Amino acid sequence: MKTFEEKWTAWLDGQLSDRELAQFEASLPDKAAAEAEKTEAKKLGAFLKRELGARALTNEEFFSHQLRERIARERAGESRKSGGRRIEVSTWWTIRRLLWTGTASLVVFLVLAIFVMRDKNPAEQSQYLTQILNARVDPVVSPNATISMFETKEDRVTVLWTEGLQSLPADYAAK
Amino acid sequence: MARSLLLSAAFALVLGTATELRGAEMVWSGLVIAENVAQPHPIPPELTGIERPLKRLFGYNQFQVIGQSRKALQTGQEDWLATSKFFGLHVDARGESQAGYVLNLKLYKEKELLLETDAKLSKRSPLLIKGPQVGGGQLLLVLVVQ
């Protein structure tokens, strides 16, 4: 079932069958006004077709047009390529760079960790064990004395070991 | 404002108390005669913690304390003397570091200086010094943070 607008358009275009035409024209309230409108629509259609229709190109214009289009396409392609290169150059986080950055970060981390651990261990050890900074004996009293120092980590003691100190009689063990 | 002041004061108090507790550590210094005898006396209580290294390192079976001093270190700048009849061990604390106490030790036989050393005495590691031979035994100097 066609709507009134569809029938109106078909009537303007002259595409209604005889029966449909008779029915449609009978349904029009003012047939004279409708005819005038139809005439105006036809005039407008003819005008638009004349003014907006594609103008046939001459051979010279056609080739010139094709050349211009081709140059434009080539330029667009070049600019896309160079644009792409620019993007590749300016993009920082490519997969390869991510990998390199990750590896470099790991290396830096390991180097720092080794330095920190190396710096930390002696401090921990020095906190753990007593350290003898220096030692001396009177060379006049004990001319043959020697001094050595060592730490025993399992017993957590530090020892200053002297040899050749002047020997004393047992009386010196008195309290 | 008042709350933050109160918190700061409480924090300072806790910190101060902690520092004070940490500073009040006891250093035991002793003059010890080590000997090998048939019937050794039990090891003195001050040396029980280091009995094993004493026996293992010096090879004696008896250890007797002939002079000792126990000093509570408050500032790490104190000095003290552990004496026996003939020996004197002068300890001069020259400051406290994270590693322990910096000490200057001087062993005297009467008024004669036999040995001098500087050491950083760790709070968890005793210092043992082998002194002169005395009769059939050995004089040892022992310093322990208790």
Side-chain angles (χ1 to χ4, degrees), chain B residues 20-46:
Chain B
E20 198 172 300
L21 284 173
R22 189 168 161 263
E25 277 173 305
M26 195 73 76
V27 176
W28 184 84
S29 37
L31 296 157
V32 177
I33 290 290
E35 287 173 297
N36 275 323
V37 292
Q39 298 289 323
H41 292 297
I43 195 151
E46 295 86 359

PDB file of all heavy atoms in Angstrom, chain B residues 20-46:
ATOM      1  N   GLU B  20      68.952   6.128  75.255  1.00  0.00           N
ATOM      2  CA  GLU B  20      69.473   5.985  76.604  1.00  0.00           C
ATOM      3  C   GLU B  20      69.680   4.503  76.934  1.00  0.00           C
ATOM      4  O   GLU B  20      70.707   4.101  77.454  1.00  0.00           O
ATOM      5  CB  GLU B  20      68.471   6.607  77.580  1.00  0.00           C
ATOM      6  CG  GLU B  20      69.083   6.915  78.934  1.00  0.00           C
ATOM      7  CD  GLU B  20      68.114   7.708  79.787  1.00  0.00           C
ATOM      8  OE1 GLU B  20      67.734   8.800  79.359  1.00  0.00           O
ATOM      9  OE2 GLU B  20      67.741   7.209  80.844  1.00  0.00           O
ATOM     10  N   LEU B  21      68.672   3.680  76.554  1.00  0.00           N
ATOM     11  CA  LEU B  21      68.780   2.252  76.823  1.00  0.00           C
ATOM     12  C   LEU B  21      69.955   1.648  76.069  1.00  0.00           C
ATOM     13  O   LEU B  21      70.690   0.817  76.569  1.00  0.00           O
ATOM     14  CB  LEU B  21      67.483   1.552  76.415  1.00  0.00           C
ATOM     15  CG  LEU B  21      66.316   1.739  77.374  1.00  0.00           C
ATOM     16  CD1 LEU B  21      65.057   1.136  76.763  1.00  0.00           C
ATOM     17  CD2 LEU B  21      66.603   1.090  78.722  1.00  0.00           C
ATOM     18  N   ARG B  22      70.119   2.131  74.825  1.00  0.00           N
ATOM     19  CA  ARG B  22      71.166   1.612  73.988  1.00  0.00           C
ATOM     20  C   ARG B  22      72.523   2.039  74.540  1.00  0.00           C
ATOM     21  O   ARG B  22      73.487   1.311  74.513  1.00  0.00           O
ATOM     22  CB  ARG B  22      70.968   2.156  72.559  1.00  0.00           C
ATOM     23  CG  ARG B  22      71.870   1.530  71.554  1.00  0.00           C
ATOM     24  CD  ARG B  22      71.385   1.914  70.163  1.00  0.00           C
ATOM     25  NE  ARG B  22      72.462   1.707  69.224  1.00  0.00           N
ATOM     26  CZ  ARG B  22      73.264   2.650  68.823  1.00  0.00           C
ATOM     27  NH1 ARG B  22      73.141   3.876  69.276  1.00  0.00           N
ATOM     28  NH2 ARG B  22      74.229   2.407  67.954  1.00  0.00           N
ATOM     29  N   GLY B  23      72.591   3.251  75.098  1.00  0.00           N
ATOM     30  CA  GLY B  23      73.855   3.777  75.601  1.00  0.00           C
ATOM     31  C   GLY B  23      74.297   3.093  76.878  1.00  0.00           C
ATOM     32  O   GLY B  23      75.485   3.006  77.157  1.00  0.00           O
ATOM     33  N   ALA B  24      73.344   2.612  77.675  1.00  0.00           N
ATOM     34  CA  ALA B  24      73.694   2.041  78.973  1.00  0.00           C
ATOM     35  C   ALA B  24      74.096   0.584  78.814  1.00  0.00           C
ATOM     36  O   ALA B  24      73.450  -0.310  79.336  1.00  0.00           O
ATOM     37  CB  ALA B  24      72.513   2.172  79.914  1.00  0.00           C
ATOM     38  N   GLU B  25      75.202   0.355  78.087  1.00  0.00           N
ATOM     39  CA  GLU B  25      75.656  -1.015  77.917  1.00  0.00           C
ATOM     40  C   GLU B  25      76.864  -1.265  78.803  1.00  0.00           C
ATOM     41  O   GLU B  25      77.661  -0.373  79.056  1.00  0.00           O
ATOM     42  CB  GLU B  25      75.974  -1.278  76.455  1.00  0.00           C
ATOM     43  CG  GLU B  25      74.715  -1.628  75.685  1.00  0.00           C
ATOM     44  CD  GLU B  25      74.955  -1.720  74.203  1.00  0.00           C
ATOM     45  OE1 GLU B  25      75.453  -0.753  73.637  1.00  0.00           O
ATOM     46  OE2 GLU B  25      74.635  -2.757  73.637  1.00  0.00           O
ATOM     47  N   MET B  26      76.980  -2.498  79.237  1.00  0.00           N
ATOM     48  CA  MET B  26      78.013  -2.873  80.196  1.00  0.00           C
ATOM     49  C   MET B  26      79.189  -3.516  79.475  1.00  0.00           C
ATOM     50  O   MET B  26      79.004  -4.415  78.660  1.00  0.00           O
ATOM     51  CB  MET B  26      77.399  -3.858  81.191  1.00  0.00           C
ATOM     52  CG  MET B  26      78.207  -4.073  82.426  1.00  0.00           C
ATOM     53  SD  MET B  26      78.133  -2.650  83.515  1.00  0.00           S
ATOM     54  CE  MET B  26      76.504  -2.832  84.227  1.00  0.00           C
ATOM     55  N   VAL B  27      80.367  -3.015  79.773  1.00  0.00           N
ATOM     56  CA  VAL B  27      81.575  -3.635  79.217  1.00  0.00           C
ATOM     57  C   VAL B  27      82.327  -4.301  80.369  1.00  0.00           C
ATOM     58  O   VAL B  27      82.646  -3.657  81.369  1.00  0.00           O
ATOM     59  CB  VAL B  27      82.472  -2.586  78.528  1.00  0.00           C
ATOM     60  CG1 VAL B  27      83.767  -3.231  78.042  1.00  0.00           C
ATOM     61  CG2 VAL B  27      81.748  -1.953  77.359  1.00  0.00           C
ATOM     62  N   TRP B  28      82.565  -5.571  80.196  1.00  0.00           N
ATOM     63  CA  TRP B  28      83.342  -6.304  81.202  1.00  0.00           C
ATOM     64  C   TRP B  28      84.759  -6.465  80.675  1.00  0.00           C
ATOM     65  O   TRP B  28      84.973  -6.912  79.542  1.00  0.00           O
ATOM     66  CB  TRP B  28      82.727  -7.683  81.456  1.00  0.00           C
ATOM     67  CG  TRP B  28      83.434  -8.444  82.547  1.00  0.00           C
ATOM     68  CD1 TRP B  28      83.219  -8.332  83.874  1.00  0.00           C
ATOM     69  CD2 TRP B  28      84.470  -9.424  82.391  1.00  0.00           C
ATOM     70  NE1 TRP B  28      84.065  -9.161  84.579  1.00  0.00           N
ATOM     71  CE2 TRP B  28      84.841  -9.843  83.685  1.00  0.00           C
ATOM     72  CE3 TRP B  28      85.139  -9.970  81.297  1.00  0.00           C
ATOM     73  CZ2 TRP B  28      85.837 -10.793  83.905  1.00  0.00           C
ATOM     74  CZ3 TRP B  28      86.123 -10.916  81.507  1.00  0.00           C
ATOM     75  CH2 TRP B  28      86.468 -11.318  82.813  1.00  0.00           C
ATOM     76  N   SER B  29      85.727  -6.065  81.489  1.00  0.00           N
ATOM     77  CA  SER B  29      87.130  -6.242  81.094  1.00  0.00           C
ATOM     78  C   SER B  29      87.831  -7.015  82.204  1.00  0.00           C
ATOM     79  O   SER B  29      87.641  -6.721  83.396  1.00  0.00           O
ATOM     80  CB  SER B  29      87.802  -4.898  80.841  1.00  0.00           C
ATOM     81  OG  SER B  29      87.351  -3.931  81.750  1.00  0.00           O
ATOM     82  N   GLY B  30      88.600  -7.994  81.802  1.00  0.00           N
ATOM     83  CA  GLY B  30      89.211  -8.857  82.815  1.00  0.00           C
ATOM     84  C   GLY B  30      90.634  -9.248  82.483  1.00  0.00           C
ATOM     85  O   GLY B  30      91.038  -9.332  81.319  1.00  0.00           O
ATOM     86  N   LEU B  31      91.391  -9.442  83.555  1.00  0.00           N
ATOM     87  CA  LEU B  31      92.738  -9.996  83.453  1.00  0.00           C
ATOM     88  C   LEU B  31      92.608 -11.460  83.849  1.00  0.00           C
ATOM     89  O   LEU B  31      92.151 -11.772  84.965  1.00  0.00           O
ATOM     90  CB  LEU B  31      93.682  -9.269  84.406  1.00  0.00           C
ATOM     91  CG  LEU B  31      93.885  -7.774  84.100  1.00  0.00           C
ATOM     92  CD1 LEU B  31      94.348  -7.040  85.350  1.00  0.00           C
ATOM     93  CD2 LEU B  31      94.907  -7.602  83.001  1.00  0.00           C
ATOM     94  N   VAL B  32      92.989 -12.344  82.983  1.00  0.00           N
ATOM     95  CA  VAL B  32      92.723 -13.765  83.185  1.00  0.00           C
ATOM     96  C   VAL B  32      94.044 -14.528  83.091  1.00  0.00           C
ATOM     97  O   VAL B  32      94.838 -14.297  82.172  1.00  0.00           O
ATOM     98  CB  VAL B  32      91.737 -14.285  82.113  1.00  0.00           C
ATOM     99  CG1 VAL B  32      91.504 -15.784  82.273  1.00  0.00           C
ATOM    100  CG2 VAL B  32      90.416 -13.540  82.190  1.00  0.00           C
ATOM    101  N   ILE B  33      94.256 -15.436  84.036  1.00  0.00           N
ATOM    102  CA  ILE B  33      95.414 -16.324  83.953  1.00  0.00           C
ATOM    103  C   ILE B  33      94.926 -17.685  83.464  1.00  0.00           C
ATOM    104  O   ILE B  33      94.034 -18.293  84.072  1.00  0.00           O
ATOM    105  CB  ILE B  33      96.108 -16.470  85.331  1.00  0.00           C
ATOM    106  CG1 ILE B  33      96.794 -15.156  85.721  1.00  0.00           C
ATOM    107  CG2 ILE B  33      97.130 -17.610  85.312  1.00  0.00           C
ATOM    108  CD1 ILE B  33      98.023 -14.792  84.882  1.00  0.00           C
ATOM    109  N   ALA B  34      95.506 -18.090  82.349  1.00  0.00           N
ATOM    110  CA  ALA B  34      95.143 -19.389  81.773  1.00  0.00           C
ATOM    111  C   ALA B  34      96.262 -20.374  82.066  1.00  0.00           C
ATOM    112  O   ALA B  34      97.436 -20.055  81.884  1.00  0.00           O
ATOM    113  CB  ALA B  34      94.952 -19.244  80.272  1.00  0.00           C
ATOM    114  N   GLU B  35      95.861 -21.573  82.539  1.00  0.00           N
ATOM    115  CA  GLU B  35      96.862 -22.586  82.883  1.00  0.00           C
ATOM    116  C   GLU B  35      96.332 -23.963  82.523  1.00  0.00           C
ATOM    117  O   GLU B  35      95.123 -24.158  82.406  1.00  0.00           O
ATOM    118  CB  GLU B  35      97.137 -22.555  84.396  1.00  0.00           C
ATOM    119  CG  GLU B  35      97.936 -21.357  84.874  1.00  0.00           C
ATOM    120  CD  GLU B  35      98.013 -21.333  86.394  1.00  0.00           C
ATOM    121  OE1 GLU B  35      96.950 -21.206  87.041  1.00  0.00           O
ATOM    122  OE2 GLU B  35      99.135 -21.445  86.915  1.00  0.00           O
ATOM    123  N   ASN B  36      97.258 -24.879  82.452  1.00  0.00           N
ATOM    124  CA  ASN B  36      96.877 -26.289  82.324  1.00  0.00           C
ATOM    125  C   ASN B  36      97.163 -26.967  83.653  1.00  0.00           C
ATOM    126  O   ASN B  36      98.313 -26.995  84.098  1.00  0.00           O
ATOM    127  CB  ASN B  36      97.673 -26.963  81.206  1.00  0.00           C
ATOM    128  CG  ASN B  36      97.010 -26.753  79.859  1.00  0.00           C
ATOM    129  OD1 ASN B  36      95.788 -26.757  79.755  1.00  0.00           O
ATOM    130  ND2 ASN B  36      97.820 -26.523  78.843  1.00  0.00           N
ATOM    131  N   VAL B  37      96.131 -27.439  84.274  1.00  0.00           N
ATOM    132  CA  VAL B  37      96.282 -28.088  85.575  1.00  0.00           C
ATOM    133  C   VAL B  37      95.541 -29.423  85.559  1.00  0.00           C
ATOM    134  O   VAL B  37      94.658 -29.654  84.716  1.00  0.00           O
ATOM    135  CB  VAL B  37      95.733 -27.204  86.719  1.00  0.00           C
ATOM    136  CG1 VAL B  37      96.582 -25.965  86.921  1.00  0.00           C
ATOM    137  CG2 VAL B  37      94.287 -26.841  86.473  1.00  0.00           C
ATOM    138  N   ALA B  38      95.920 -30.262  86.545  1.00  0.00           N
ATOM    139  CA  ALA B  38      95.309 -31.590  86.600  1.00  0.00           C
ATOM    140  C   ALA B  38      93.834 -31.507  87.004  1.00  0.00           C
ATOM    141  O   ALA B  38      92.984 -32.211  86.456  1.00  0.00           O
ATOM    142  CB  ALA B  38      96.079 -32.469  87.575  1.00  0.00           C
ATOM    143  N   GLN B  39      93.554 -30.667  87.955  1.00  0.00           N
ATOM    144  CA  GLN B  39      92.177 -30.527  88.438  1.00  0.00           C
ATOM    145  C   GLN B  39      91.712 -29.087  88.190  1.00  0.00           C
ATOM    146  O   GLN B  39      91.816 -28.230  89.070  1.00  0.00           O
ATOM    147  CB  GLN B  39      92.109 -30.827  89.949  1.00  0.00           C
ATOM    148  CG  GLN B  39      92.515 -32.238  90.340  1.00  0.00           C
ATOM    149  CD  GLN B  39      91.483 -33.264  89.896  1.00  0.00           C
ATOM    150  OE1 GLN B  39      90.279 -33.005  89.934  1.00  0.00           O
ATOM    151  NE2 GLN B  39      91.956 -34.428  89.468  1.00  0.00           N
ATOM    152  N   PRO B  40      91.258 -28.794  87.014  1.00  0.00           N
ATOM    153  CA  PRO B  40      90.892 -27.392  86.716  1.00  0.00           C
ATOM    154  C   PRO B  40      89.655 -26.938  87.486  1.00  0.00           C
ATOM    155  O   PRO B  40      88.727 -27.718  87.701  1.00  0.00           O
ATOM    156  CB  PRO B  40      90.635 -27.415  85.219  1.00  0.00           C
ATOM    157  CG  PRO B  40      90.336 -28.809  84.882  1.00  0.00           C
ATOM    158  CD  PRO B  40      91.038 -29.684  85.872  1.00  0.00           C
ATOM    159  N   HIS B  41      89.694 -25.674  87.905  1.00  0.00           N
ATOM    160  CA  HIS B  41      88.509 -25.071  88.522  1.00  0.00           C
ATOM    161  C   HIS B  41      87.463 -24.799  87.438  1.00  0.00           C
ATOM    162  O   HIS B  41      87.807 -24.631  86.276  1.00  0.00           O
ATOM    163  CB  HIS B  41      88.886 -23.731  89.186  1.00  0.00           C
ATOM    164  CG  HIS B  41      89.780 -23.900  90.374  1.00  0.00           C
ATOM    165  ND1 HIS B  41      89.398 -24.586  91.514  1.00  0.00           N
ATOM    166  CD2 HIS B  41      91.056 -23.467  90.605  1.00  0.00           C
ATOM    167  CE1 HIS B  41      90.378 -24.566  92.397  1.00  0.00           C
ATOM    168  NE2 HIS B  41      91.412 -23.891  91.859  1.00  0.00           N
ATOM    169  N   PRO B  42      86.216 -24.745  87.855  1.00  0.00           N
ATOM    170  CA  PRO B  42      85.194 -24.383  86.861  1.00  0.00           C
ATOM    171  C   PRO B  42      85.461 -22.979  86.306  1.00  0.00           C
ATOM    172  O   PRO B  42      86.030 -22.136  87.005  1.00  0.00           O
ATOM    173  CB  PRO B  42      83.877 -24.405  87.640  1.00  0.00           C
ATOM    174  CG  PRO B  42      84.188 -24.985  88.967  1.00  0.00           C
ATOM    175  CD  PRO B  42      85.645 -24.942  89.181  1.00  0.00           C
ATOM    176  N   ILE B  43      85.054 -22.785  85.120  1.00  0.00           N
ATOM    177  CA  ILE B  43      85.310 -21.481  84.473  1.00  0.00           C
ATOM    178  C   ILE B  43      84.489 -20.391  85.168  1.00  0.00           C
ATOM    179  O   ILE B  43      83.318 -20.621  85.538  1.00  0.00           O
ATOM    180  CB  ILE B  43      85.026 -21.568  82.962  1.00  0.00           C
ATOM    181  CG1 ILE B  43      85.626 -20.355  82.237  1.00  0.00           C
ATOM    182  CG2 ILE B  43      83.527 -21.658  82.663  1.00  0.00           C
ATOM    183  CD1 ILE B  43      86.031 -20.624  80.831  1.00  0.00           C
ATOM    184  N   PRO B  44      85.045 -19.231  85.408  1.00  0.00           N
ATOM    185  CA  PRO B  44      84.277 -18.151  86.058  1.00  0.00           C
ATOM    186  C   PRO B  44      83.040 -17.773  85.228  1.00  0.00           C
ATOM    187  O   PRO B  44      83.077 -17.862  83.995  1.00  0.00           O
ATOM    188  CB  PRO B  44      85.273 -16.986  86.107  1.00  0.00           C
ATOM    189  CG  PRO B  44      86.609 -17.603  85.946  1.00  0.00           C
ATOM    190  CD  PRO B  44      86.414 -18.823  85.114  1.00  0.00           C
ATOM    191  N   PRO B  45      81.987 -17.352  85.907  1.00  0.00           N
ATOM    192  CA  PRO B  45      80.733 -17.049  85.164  1.00  0.00           C
ATOM    193  C   PRO B  45      80.906 -15.977  84.101  1.00  0.00           C
ATOM    194  O   PRO B  45      80.207 -15.991  83.078  1.00  0.00           O
ATOM    195  CB  PRO B  45      79.777 -16.582  86.258  1.00  0.00           C
ATOM    196  CG  PRO B  45      80.601 -16.364  87.483  1.00  0.00           C
ATOM    197  CD  PRO B  45      81.836 -17.176  87.347  1.00  0.00           C
ATOM    198  N   GLU B  46      81.836 -15.060  84.302  1.00  0.00           N
ATOM    199  CA  GLU B  46      82.040 -13.989  83.295  1.00  0.00           C
ATOM    200  C   GLU B  46      82.569 -14.552  81.971  1.00  0.00           C
ATOM    201  O   GLU B  46      82.455 -13.906  80.929  1.00  0.00           O
ATOM    202  CB  GLU B  46      83.053 -12.958  83.806  1.00  0.00           C
ATOM    203  CG  GLU B  46      82.606 -12.174  85.029  1.00  0.00           C
ATOM    204  CD  GLU B  46      82.916 -12.899  86.335  1.00  0.00           C
ATOM    205  OE1 GLU B  46      83.470 -14.017  86.291  1.00  0.00           O
ATOM    206  OE2 GLU B  46      82.581 -12.340  87.397  1.00  0.00           O
TER     207      GLU B  46
END
